[in-house]
Amino acid sequence: MATTAFCNDIWFTTNDSFDLIGTTAPDIGNDIGHSLNTMSIVVYSLAFVLGVLGNGVVIWVTGFKIKKTVNTVWFLNLAVADFLFTAFLPLSVTYTASDFHWPFGNFMCKLNTTISFLNMFASVYILVVISVDRCASVVWPVWAQNHRNVRKASYVSLCVWVVALILSAPYFIFRDVGPSYHNKDIINCFNNYALSGDEDTYHETHQAMIITRFLLGFVVPFTVIVSCYAVIIHRLRRNHTLANQSSRPFKIIAAIIINFFLCWAPFHIMGLIEMANHMPEYSSEILDDITIIGLPIATSLAFLNSCLNPLLYVFMGQDFKDKVHKSILIVLESAFQEEETHKVSRPVRTKRVQI
């Protein structure tokens, strides 16, 4: 169980709740703890390499190489959120590899965790916007064709980033650095919720942060997403022509949403378990073991989400045998295309032969 001690007039928690930059395991066997840390380092490193390269390509293609559409605006912002997060992963790798010693100072401790949750909130609310946009395009196609444009999509994306920044701000406020409870020579980056130096305030703030994150970062967004796709599926079943036109974009977006759900659901579930384990009435040895082992696994899954989307764009953009013969640019352009009803036909270019 994470150890809490009253130290220097603040409630200082080592290896504190979900910080998205690693969790130590002081109360389990050294072999298990070492294995978990090794797994985390491998996953973080993999997510960094694949995430920076993959999302970098998506940003390059959607931002500079293909015609801007409403869809490309959504996917560009999603890629920016993932790229920003994965670019900071070397800090988490270093933190985990150095036995959770944070050498980067208080500001970077705050910034690193804030970027992590900024990515989470921005990603899930961009998925909400994509789902609502897709629903409007299917249910009200004429209205959508007359009102959907790149400028409005850019304004909506800006609003999403503002909301995500507001929801992430508390992590910048509460993040702090200090000596580890187990080893004073090791500096931890931890959540310091005790603004008034009172234990009750610490636990209340801790619970409020986790519950708010669970509701606004998971339950509410996915309720909207599932509702939108229920309407879409109902409408597509009644209109086979529309279903054929929307097949590829629908499958890609659905895969991205399922990927986000599978990667982030364990994180939020473990957050609730960890919160319960901090309550005297629910605390137990079983929850201790679940928390200590489950936290790094759930966090690693959440990290992987940011590098998987570019792979989905490529491998679901068109048939695999076509991909091996076409450039990444064409593959991604195919993945991000609008429905056929929104596309403007292009004149056929004939090859000119010089005589």
Side-chain angles (χ1 to χ4, degrees):
M1 178 176 175
T3 305
T4 306
F6 195 75
C7 185
N8 297 327
D9 296 327
I10 64 170
W11 279 93
F12 177 83
T13 303
T14 62
N15 318 319
D16 194 27
S17 69
F18 264 148
D19 55 15
L20 277 176
I21 57 172
T23 306
T24 58
D27 299 330
I28 60 177
N30 290 333
D31 291 340
I32 297 178
H34 178 73
S35 299
L36 289 172
N37 290 346
T38 301
M39 176 208 67
S40 297
I41 293 172
V42 171
V43 172
Y44 298 172
S45 301
L46 182 65
F48 167 69
V49 174
L50 295 180
V52 169
L53 293 178
N55 288 294
V57 170
V58 173
I59 292 172
W60 175 67
V61 170
T62 57
F64 305 101
K65 289 299 179 179
I66 62 177
K67 179 183 177 181
K68 280 186 170 55
T69 65
V70 174
N71 277 352
T72 60
V73 172
W74 303 145
F75 289 116
L76 172 61
N77 280 273
L78 192 59
V80 168
D82 288 336
F83 180 88
L84 187 62
F85 169 69
T86 54
F88 276 77
L89 281 178
L91 301 181
S92 301
V93 173
T94 303
Y95 185 51
T96 307
S98 59
D99 197 23
F100 301 95
H101 172 70
W102 184 261
F104 304 108
N106 191 36
F107 176 79
M108 290 304 297
C109 168
K110 292 176 177 290
L111 181 63
N112 190 50
T113 303
T114 303
I115 291 295
S116 301
F117 287 105
L118 178 66
N119 164 259
M120 183 192 76
F121 286 117
S123 296
V124 74
Y125 282 108
I126 289 172
L127 293 179
V128 169
V129 169
I130 291 175
S131 302
V132 173
D133 175 61
R134 185 66 49 196
C135 185
S137 297
V138 171
V139 177
W140 303 290
V142 176
W143 179 91
Q145 191 168 8
N146 292 331
H147 291 82
R148 290 172 80 249
N149 58 62
V150 172
R151 174 175 292 185
K152 290 180 181 178
S154 300
Y155 289 150
V156 171
S157 299
L158 179 60
C159 291
V160 168
W161 281 102
V162 171
V163 171
L165 188 60
I166 293 172
L167 293 175
S168 305
Y171 297 95
F172 190 88
I173 296 172
F174 291 119
R175 210 66 184 157
D176 203 357
V177 295
S180 169
Y181 182 75
H182 300 282
N183 185 345
K184 302 301 181 183
D185 294 329
I186 294 179
I187 302 299
N188 286 151
C189 177
F190 67 101
N191 293 322
N192 176 17
Y193 295 131
L195 296 179
S196 64
D198 180 77
E199 181 179 6
D200 293 335
T201 302
Y202 169 87
H203 290 296
E204 290 175 0
T205 307
H206 180 204
Q207 294 170 19
M209 290 284 288
I210 291 181
I211 292 174
T212 300
R213 184 174 69 210
F214 177 66
L215 293 177
L216 298 183
F218 191 74
V219 175
V220 172
F222 269 95
T223 299
V224 176
I225 290 171
V226 171
S227 299
C228 287
Y229 274 85
V231 173
I232 292 172
I233 292 172
H234 176 71
R235 183 57 64 94
L236 293 181
R237 284 180 176 176
R238 298 171 54 186
N239 190 331
H240 296 292
T241 302
L242 184 62
N244 292 332
Q245 293 171 345
S246 302
S247 177
R248 182 183 295 162
F250 178 85
K251 289 179 180 179
I252 293 174
I253 296 169
I256 294 170
I257 292 171
I258 292 172
N259 171 52
F260 189 94
F261 178 85
L262 293 178
C263 289
W264 282 98
F267 173 85
H268 291 286
I269 292 171
M270 288 305 307
L272 296 176
I273 294 174
E274 189 267 348
M275 180 187 70
N277 199 34
H278 275 74
M279 301 178 182
E281 61 270 31
Y282 299 113
S283 181
S284 67
E285 292 294 331
I286 295 178
L287 289 184
D288 281 351
D289 294 338
I290 293 175
T291 301
I292 291 171
I293 296 175
L295 288 181
I297 296 175
T299 304
S300 297
L301 269 177
F303 279 25
L304 281 176
N305 174 255
S306 294
C307 70
L308 292 179
N309 286 343
L311 300 179
L312 292 176
Y313 300 151
V314 172
F315 288 103
M316 294 191 67
Q318 57 194 55
D319 294 335
F320 179 78
K321 65 180 180 180
D322 292 334
K323 289 192 214 44
V324 298
H325 298 295
K326 294 185 177 182
S327 66
I328 292 177
L329 175 60
I330 297 176
V331 172
L332 291 176
E333 185 173 7
S334 171
F336 300 139
Q337 70 180 1
E338 300 281 343
E339 292 89 347
E340 295 296 328
T341 53
H342 296 155
K343 291 175 65 179
V344 178
S345 60
R346 298 178 180 176
V348 177
R349 294 183 178 179
T350 58
K351 185 175 181 181
R352 299 178 60 184
V353 180
Q354 184 175 3
I355 302 177

